[in-house]
Amino acid sequence: MDHFDYRDGVMHAEDVPLSRIAEAVGTPVYVYSTATIERHVRVFREAVAEAGTGEPLIAFAVKANPNLAVLATLARAGLGADVVSGGELLRARAAGVPADRIVFSGVGKTADEMALALREGIGQFNLESEPEAEMLSAVAVSMGVRAPVAFRVNPNVDAGTHAKISTGKSEDKFGIAYDGAVAAYARARDLAGLHIRGVAVHIGSQLTDLAPSRAAFAKIGDLIGALRASGHDIATADLGGGLGVPYDPALPTPPLPAAYGAMVREVTAGWGVRLIFEPGRVIVGNAGILLTSVIRVKPGVTNPFVVVDAAMNDLLRPSLYDAWHDIRAVVPRGDRFTAHIVGPICESGDTFARNRGMDRVEPGDAVCFMTAGAYGATMASTYNSRALTPEVLVNGREWSIVRARQPIEALIAADSLPSWLPANPDRSAMEIA
């Protein structure tokens, strides 16, 4: 469920007409709904409340949407954070996430990032290799502290999702091999500066079937038993995230959090650990849209091209993953047509949809790309010298710009000329209306 709906023929975000935001901020612009975010937090929390020992830690996957206002909304709701870089760690802390509710994942943690996380006092490092464990040990010893750790274990389970967001097969780059996990834990026990406290697993994103997760979790349960038999005190189990959200209404609806929670309770019964979850998309995916405007409708050989002012640099998912987003007019005209929806980037890949049935639109009309709150603005770039898209957060009748549109002058000014190239005295090109 989301809080984007039509009232009096105009799509609203909660109580704010999207046409008002488009007029005030311009397009393209991301718009997020506080009510949707908060509802999804409640639904997920209720789904997993009875799983594991004590209160589960729900650590939002910051990579899904790192906007500071979004993170602050989640922190206020009591969520922790799953981070994969020093930058994400600093964003989470700036948003008010307590350090002991932060989990640091990712295969490429540097020594500097490890030191930052240790100074902050984070709750857990999810180690992805034995060399990483050795590096963290050295950093922790040099600082005179102990690092709380779990190994991320690769269970060699196919999540059945897109190849580029699959993380749990043996050929994927993430985690240590399941068959070598007991030995890896034994070697880590001898490393000074490490406090082994748990096990972690994450098999992929946009999961639409619970069976792969069930299989992976069952293997983790067996591993916990083997580790305890080897003398390890396993207190936490991080089950990752990845629960899918509905993008294409023609496809089966992904499992609801309630069904996921019931499966988790069944599989993890008797583990005697505190569970950690890393939801991202399921919290913010439906809570955001990308608002854009039609530049022109260009005739095509078969169907027309609807050229919008958003592009693949603003929303990369369709180009990168062949992802499907519902496309709706903010003020529908009452009839529909079939068209290709494309952006202005000089790439054939800058295509959002082909042969899509949609509301008939004309130049100047505002259009929404739905379910764009996750892996949208966070994956944006400045390709074709296009400024990063602004972001807006709505809260009932209120709304606020939570990331301003970057002036193109600022983008250009970030570059510098070497000493052997003369400065251009003609600044007229910078005078952009």
Side-chain angles (χ1 to χ4, degrees):
M1 177 182 175
D2 60 54
H3 291 77
F4 297 95
D5 52 23
Y6 288 101
R7 303 182 191 177
D8 300 321
V10 179
M11 183 178 285
H12 285 57
E14 300 186 26
D15 297 323
V16 180
L18 288 174
S19 52
R20 183 184 304 169
I21 294 175
E23 291 167 4
V25 182
T27 57
V29 56
Y30 278 94
V31 182
Y32 308 123
S33 160
T34 297
T36 306
I37 294 171
E38 292 176 340
R39 180 183 184 277
H40 290 171
V41 170
R42 288 195 302 272
V43 169
F44 193 88
R45 177 179 283 128
E46 291 168 0
V48 301
E50 303 299 323
T53 301
E55 179 190 4
L57 171 59
I58 303 174
F60 174 72
V62 172
K63 59 182 174 291
N65 189 322
N67 182 276
L68 193 65
V70 170
L71 296 181
T73 300
L74 295 167
R76 183 179 64 180
L79 265 59
D82 164 56
V83 305
V84 295
S85 72
E88 287 190 349
L89 170 57
L90 292 173
R91 278 185 176 270
R93 295 292 286 131
V97 179
D100 63 359
R101 297 180 68 82
I102 294 177
V103 177
F104 199 158
S105 305
V107 302
K109 305 178 195 70
T110 66
D112 286 344
E113 289 176 319
M114 291 173 178
L116 169 65
L118 289 169
R119 286 194 299 270
E120 291 290 329
I122 69 164
Q124 181 169 295
F125 290 84
N126 285 348
L127 302 175
E128 307 237 11
S129 68
E130 292 188 63
E132 182 185 336
E134 293 165 0
M135 175 183 283
L136 180 58
S137 170
V139 173
V141 168
S142 73
M143 296 175 65
V145 297
R146 296 182 75 202
V149 302
F151 270 112
R152 176 173 174 174
V153 177
N154 187 321
N156 193 25
V157 170
D158 187 348
T161 188
H162 192 285
K164 292 183 179 178
I165 50 177
S166 173
T167 62
K169 294 185 291 185
S170 59
E171 62 265 31
D172 294 326
K173 71 177 183 178
F174 298 95
I176 63 171
Y178 181 86
D179 291 342
V182 172
Y185 273 84
R187 287 187 285 270
R189 181 165 44 195
D190 295 332
L191 294 175
L194 301 187
H195 171 213
I196 298 173
R197 64 192 303 266
V199 179
V201 65
H202 181 81
I203 63 171
S205 185
Q206 186 54 16
L207 306 180
T208 58
D209 181 0
L210 294 180
S213 293
R214 177 186 289 273
F217 298 165
K219 295 181 76 170
I220 294 303
D222 292 341
L223 177 60
I224 290 173
L227 291 172
R228 284 175 172 160
S230 298
H232 296 284
D233 181 14
I234 303 299
T236 67
D238 186 337
L239 301 184
L243 192 60
V245 300
Y247 286 100
D248 186 346
L251 297 178
T253 302
L256 295 175
Y260 172 80
M263 180 272 291
V264 168
R265 287 193 298 274
E266 178 186 342
V267 177
T268 64
W271 284 13
V273 296
R274 185 190 189 193
L275 296 179
I276 301 172
F277 301 92
E278 302 171 4
R281 189 190 315 266
V282 74
I283 302 294
V284 296
N286 287 335
I289 58 98
L290 175 59
L291 181 59
T292 182
S293 297
V294 177
I295 298 174
R296 65 182 55 90
V297 179
K298 173 186 172 182
V301 175
T302 54
N303 293 312
F305 291 88
V306 174
V307 185
V308 297
D309 61 5
M312 62 186 286
N313 74 295
D314 305 304
L315 180 61
L316 184 60
R317 296 188 69 256
S319 178
L320 184 62
Y321 303 133
D322 296 319
W324 200 101
H325 287 268
D326 193 13
I327 301 171
R328 305 178 191 173
V330 171
V331 184
R333 297 176 177 274
D335 61 339
R336 295 174 65 82
F337 73 156
T338 301
H340 311 300
I341 300 87
V342 301
I345 289 287
C346 195
E347 294 273 357
S348 295
D350 186 24
T351 299
F352 294 108
R354 291 189 178 276
N355 302 309
R356 175 71 65 85
M358 62 175 292
D359 299 313
R360 186 177 295 277
V361 292
E362 296 180 4
D365 288 355
V367 172
C368 293
F369 292 92
M370 308 303 294
T371 319
Y375 305 101
T378 185
M379 297 177 73
S381 74
T382 59
Y383 186 44
N384 278 197
S385 290
R386 290 169 52 88
L388 293 175
T389 315
E391 297 169 82
V392 164
L393 181 64
V394 175
N395 183 33
R397 292 184 174 85
E398 299 180 292
W399 63 275
S400 177
I401 298 173
V402 293
R403 184 177 74 179
R405 191 180 304 278
Q406 179 188 30
I408 192 64
E409 294 89 346
L411 181 63
I412 297 172
D415 295 349
S416 59
L417 294 174
S419 60
W420 61 85
L421 291 177
N424 180 8
D426 182 4
R427 306 295 293 172
S428 60
M430 295 290 289
E431 298 172 3
I432 300 173

